[in-house]
Amino acid sequence: MSDPSAARSGSLPVIPPLLAVAMRPLPLLPLQLILSGVLQRILQRNPAIFDRLGEHSRARFGIEPTDLPFSFVVEASPPRLGVVHVLPRDLDARIRTSLASLLALLEGKVDGDALMFSRDLVIEGNVEAILALRNAIDDAQLDLVEELSSLFGPLGRPARRALAMARERVLGASHRHGGF
């Protein structure tokens, strides 16, 4: 297993601002459908993933990739992953970081505390709810390549290879499951 602090946020790529601007007019519905499929797949493999939230099971989380023109809203009850241009104000907690850092957190490649101290990760709102979400993700040991490639049906194997290569390029060769 790799050391989570090995991939420092400074070494992780960000989406070029010009590309992010070009993505702004794209419709969110296709991304919403893909992410809903991924969430359903995760729930099939880990039906109790949100049980770890306990008293925070009704919390709404906003995830704002700093290098993308859209954000995500995560709800545990009922399970939902939404895509929005602007996060709503009535969220219980917000997470703000680059997309690569977010993926590295989900893959267990970086230490969330180190990202917070370096100000590459900003958490606002109910920190207890964020910690409960972090623990839920850690327990699930998510493999985003596996989850995404499963949506490709008979093309799953080549999709898995392509996604694994992309993950390796963005996050580095070593891979460990984990969370924030």
Side-chain angles (χ1 to χ4, degrees):
M1 292 203 186
S2 66
D3 174 9
S5 62
R8 298 277 180 226
S9 61
S11 65
L12 295 175
V14 295
I15 294 174
L18 190 56
L19 180 58
V21 169
M23 294 168 66
R24 183 171 296 283
L26 295 176
L28 297 181
L29 182 60
L31 181 58
Q32 176 70 55
L33 294 173
I34 291 168
L35 291 176
S36 292
V38 169
L39 179 60
Q40 290 308 309
R41 177 75 175 179
I42 290 170
L43 290 171
Q44 286 173 355
R45 289 181 183 216
N46 304 283
I49 187 171
F50 289 126
D51 290 352
R52 186 85 191 253
L53 292 177
E55 67 185 74
H56 306 290
S57 65
R58 296 260 181 226
R60 296 179 66 221
F61 302 93
I63 301 173
E64 182 181 358
T66 56
D67 50 350
L68 289 177
F70 49 82
S71 299
F72 310 101
V73 176
V74 178
E75 298 177 61
S77 184
R80 179 170 132 49
L81 178 57
V83 183
V84 296
H85 282 292
V86 178
L87 287 174
R89 295 186 185 272
D90 63 341
L91 297 168
D92 296 288
R94 294 172 182 252
I95 301 165
R96 188 170 196 266
T97 190
S98 70
L99 180 62
S101 292
L102 180 63
L103 294 174
L105 286 165
L106 290 171
E107 294 281 340
K109 302 283 282 168
V110 294
D111 178 14
D113 293 337
L115 282 178
M116 283 189 356
F117 290 124
S118 68
R119 297 189 178 160
D120 291 326
L121 171 67
V122 176
I123 294 177
E124 299 172 340
N126 188 336
V127 176
E128 286 182 27
I130 293 287
L131 289 174
L133 179 63
R134 172 187 177 172
N135 291 336
I137 290 170
D138 281 349
D139 283 353
Q141 296 184 342
L142 299 178
D143 183 337
L144 297 177
V145 166
E146 185 64 32
E147 304 302 343
L148 282 169
S149 64
S150 70
L151 298 175
F152 288 87
L155 298 175
R157 182 170 283 161
R160 187 176 303 111
R161 281 193 301 270
L163 290 167
M165 286 175 31
R167 172 177 58 197
E168 191 172 307
R169 184 176 175 126
V170 171
L171 301 181
S174 59
H175 171 65
R176 182 182 83 77
H177 293 288
F180 296 46

